[in-house]
Amino acid sequence: MLPRPPHLQNQPTYDSDLPPVPPSDAITVDELDTATNEDRMAAATIAPNAAAGSLGVTVASLGDPTAPGFWLETPLVSSETKGRVQSQSTGRTVKVTLRPISGGGSRVSLSTLQLLDLDISGLHELVVFGS
C-alpha cells in the first residue's frame, strides 16, 4: 500500500456528521465509500431551483477517495459553504459541502460521484449551486 501524499495528510475536519474514514487497507469502491444509506438519503435532493443561485460550471475528477462525506473542492468558492452539485450528464443533484481550492479543476468525493451515478475515473461537468 502506498503512503498518503503529504498534501493529503492531516486534513482538517470539515463536517462533524461525516461518515467514518475507510479502513487503511481499503482498495475497492465499496470499501472506500463509507457513507450509509441514511447519509445518501440526506444528501440526495430534488433538482435545485433557479433561486438557489448557480455559481458556475466546473469540470471535476475524483478527489481523495479516503476522505469521507459529500463534498466538492472547487475554485468557485472562497470559503467553505453548503451547496449542491448537479451532473450535466445524469441530471442528478446532491447536497455537498463546497470547499475552496485555488486554480485548476475541481475534485469531488467518492460518495458524491456514486450518488450522481458517475464513473469514478472520468472528468465530469457539474453545475455548482450555493445554498
Side-chain angles (χ1 to χ4, degrees):
M1 179 126 213
L2 295 173
R4 217 167 167 187
H7 70 283
L8 296 177
Q9 294 176 4
N10 303 320
Q11 290 199 343
T13 300
Y14 291 95
D15 191 340
S16 60
D17 296 330
L18 289 176
V21 174
S24 61
D25 61 345
I27 55 172
T28 68
V29 170
D30 289 336
E31 292 170 338
L32 289 166
D33 185 1
T34 60
T36 65
N37 286 337
E38 291 80 19
D39 295 330
R40 289 181 185 90
M41 290 299 293
T45 66
I46 58 171
N49 60 34
S54 170
L55 301 175
V57 176
T58 190
V59 175
S61 62
L62 175 64
D64 178 3
T66 65
F70 299 89
W71 48 264
L72 175 72
E73 296 172 332
T74 180
L76 295 175
V77 296
S78 58
S79 62
E80 184 177 308
T81 186
K82 297 292 183 187
R84 298 178 215 162
V85 293
Q86 183 175 32
S87 166
Q88 293 276 54
S89 62
T90 66
R92 291 189 179 189
T93 303
V94 176
K95 292 179 191 174
V96 296
T97 299
L98 301 172
R99 301 175 183 169
I101 59 170
S102 57
S106 297
R107 296 181 295 265
V108 64
S109 72
L110 178 62
S111 295
T112 302
L113 282 176
Q114 296 284 86
L115 269 185
L116 291 172
D117 198 24
L118 296 172
D119 181 53
I120 63 170
S121 63
L123 295 174
H124 308 286
E125 285 190 350
L126 303 176
V127 182
V128 181
F129 295 88
S131 54

